[in-house]
Every structure is written in structure tokens, then in C-alpha cells.
Amino acid sequence: MSVKPRPGRVAGKKVLITGAAGGLGEAMAFMMAREGATLALTDIDETRVADLAWRVNVQTPGSAFAYAHDVASEDDWARVIDAAAADLGGLSVLVNNAGVGGPLAFVEQDTVENWQRQYEINLRSVMLGAKHALPHLRAAAPASIVNISSIAGLAAAPGMGAYNATKAGVWMYTKTLALEAAKADWNVRCNSVHPVFIKTPILDPFIAMAGGDPDKAAERLARGIPLKRIGEPDDVAYCVLYLASDESKFVTGSEFKIDGGMTAQ
Ligand SMILES: NC(=O)c1ccc[n+]([C@@H]2O[C@H](COP(=O)([O-])OP(=O)(O)OC[C@H]3O[C@@H](n4cnc5c(N)ncnc54)[C@H](O)[C@@H]3O)[C@@H](O)[C@H]2O)c1
């Protein structure tokens, strides 16, 4: 099916976002739709992603499709990429955004199950996504892959072993993909984005640790951040918008820190 083009910074781009029903995915979806993209919004939570697509379509009619998608499953990737490419008429941007944190666990209390879950959802999914999307991305070039890592992929913290390791893996694997694509002259770029604490449901455990008070949790989390606040979802979405657009046509294999200056210290 062909979708009517709309103007904007990503006009005509056909964008698949995983984990779209979460805080960052939702901000990216509304922003990219406003800027002219058509969207395949995917999430393991079928109800919430269908609701998001409905709300995006109220803003920009006909711009969003929703798919149930477990990024840990290769069968799901094959099915969803085929369906999305058919619905959008191709695929020019893949945003690997789905991710999970685990329970905080020091090494002697950590478990194989925790590592396996974070490895499959945070890191292996990026390989599966690239593998299955690349035939479509190459056909629609100039194309872009944007991988959502974390500041935790660049700087470690006690008790966050699996998250640190999987997000660091996303950072490095992004460079592998960028170099493979450049070597093959596919005109497909690949970059990673590294947010610090951003106001989304992924911070719920920190709110629980602050006695259920979101303001207290935000104030505590902001203590190490030079700009003295945690981030808003749009702070990340603007970076993803740039990397999805052809404005970033000379940018590949790079990491973008959205951290209020935290790692400048
Ligand atoms: N919010 C932050 O502070 C922050 C900081 C750094 C990095 N990140 C990263 O940003 C990305 C988005 O996080 P968010 O803040 O929007 O969190 P979120 O918890 O609001 O959203 C994550 C989404 O991923 C989905 N998901 C979980 N497992 C999945 C699976 N197996 N398959 C498909 N979807 C799955 C969830 O249903 C949810 O909608 C994640 O990769 C996260 O690690 C977030």
C-alpha cells in the first residue's frame, strides 16, 4: 500500500521502531510522524503499541501501523519486517529501541537468566534486526540504522553488569555494522545513541526506591548530571530524528551521548 507523502525532515522515510510502546519509542513516533515519516511501530505489548499507532494516526492520519513483535525471536523479526515493508512500501530506517534493565545484582547474586534475557533483548536483537531489515534498507537507500544503547554502555555502575555489558555490546556492534555497510557501498549508515536517565517507565524501580515519589527519584538521579536534571523523551527523539534523516548523511559508526554533560566530568 502506498502512503501519501507529507513534508518534514524525514519526509518519505519508512521507519520501523521497536519497543515503540515505551516512553522513548512514543516520543520518537510522534516526532517522526510530524516530520513526514510513515511508521511501523512494534512492541511485545500488542495492546499498548496498537493504542500508540491509533493516537499517532489521530495526529497524522495514515502515518502509523502497529505490530506485535518480540525482538528476541528471529521468527518474529522475519514476520514483522515482511509485513512492515509490505504495509509501508519498503523500509528506509530501523530504530532498535526495545530494551530492558534487570534487577540490580552484584556479581555473586547475579543469574544466568538475567544475563540471558538482557543479552537477547538488548543486544542480539540488534543483529537480528539488521540482518532481516538490510535487504529492504539497501533497496531504499539512503538508509539508516539507529541503535539505542545507553550511557551505561560507555560508563559502568556497580550492580548493573548485564545492562552495562549488553549496552556496551550495542555500542561496538554499531561500528561493525557501519563498517560492513560502508565497505559494501550500500549507503546504509549505522549509529548509536546513549541516553542518561530519561523520564520513562524504565525508571520505575528508581521511583520505588524513592518511596514512590517521582520528583524525589528525579532529583536523586540528577545529582551527577551537570545540567542538574534528568532528560525528557524528546531530548533523545531529536537525536534519533537527525540520525534517521539525510541531514546526517556523512555520519556513521558514531556514538551520540544525550547525558546533560555527565560523561564530560
Ligand atoms: N529511559 C532511560 O532512562 C534510558 C536511558 C538509557 C537508555 N535507555 C534505553 O532506551 C530504550 C527505550 O527505553 P524506554 O526508556 O522507552 O523504556 P520503556 O520501559 O518505557 O520502554 C521499553 C519498551 O520495550 C518493550 N519491550 C520489552 N521487551 C521487549 C521485547 N522482548 N520485544 C519487544 N519489545 C520489548 C516494552 O514493552 C516497552 O514498551 C531501551 O533500549 C533502554 O535501555 C533508556
Side-chain angles (χ1 to χ4, degrees), residues 18-25 42-45 48 69-72 96-101 121-122 148-151 163 167 194-203:
T18 68
L24 295 189
T42 88
D43 202 286
I44 199 165
D45 189 329
R48 280 173 53 239
H69 178 196
D70 177 358
V71 295
N96 282 308
N97 169 67
V100 287
I121 298 173
N122 294 350
I148 308 301
S149 173
S150 170
I151 213 68
Y163 195 70
K167 290 298 190 179
H194 302 258
V196 75
F197 306 116
I198 312 286
K199 274 179 213 156
T200 76
I202 215 169
L203 297 188

Side-chain angles (χ1 to χ4, degrees), residues 105-259:
F106 281 59
V107 57
E108 288 171 284
Q109 283 74 48
D110 214 342
T111 62
V112 167
E113 291 72 25
N114 180 36
W115 275 70
Q116 189 66 27
R117 173 170 171 267
Q118 294 200 53
Y119 160 66
E120 289 183 6
I121 298 173
N122 294 350
L123 177 54
R124 195 182 67 182
S125 62
V126 175
M127 180 278 289
L128 292 176
K131 176 178 166 175
H132 287 275
L134 264 167
H136 297 285
L137 297 175
R138 290 164 61 183
S144 172
I145 300 173
V146 184
N147 295 328
I148 308 301
S149 173
S150 170
I151 213 68
L154 302 173
M160 292 183 63
Y163 195 70
N164 285 145
T166 54
K167 290 298 190 179
V170 173
W171 171 52
M172 191 51 60
Y173 187 58
T174 296
K175 295 177 189 295
T176 307
L177 287 173
L179 295 178
E180 289 185 11
K183 186 173 171 63
D185 287 327
W186 289 333
N187 203 2
V188 178
R189 299 174 297 101
C190 186
N191 295 285
S192 58
V193 176
H194 302 258
V196 75
F197 306 116
I198 312 286
K199 274 179 213 156
T200 76
I202 215 169
L203 297 188
D204 286 351
F206 295 97
I207 296 174
M209 280 157 61
D213 182 340
D215 293 336
K216 195 190 227 177
E219 188 250 293
R220 279 187 190 167
L221 292 171
R223 277 179 198 156
I225 301 176
L227 288 182
K228 301 187 194 68
R229 65 169 179 87
I230 64 170
E232 305 283 347
D234 274 1
D235 294 329
V236 178
Y238 276 116
C239 183
V240 176
L241 176 69
Y242 166 69
L243 292 172
S245 80
D246 295 337
E247 294 165 10
S248 56
K249 63 185 185 302
F250 195 51
V251 177
T252 197
S254 287
E255 53 286 281
F256 291 77
K257 297 183 280 183
I258 312 291
D259 72 348

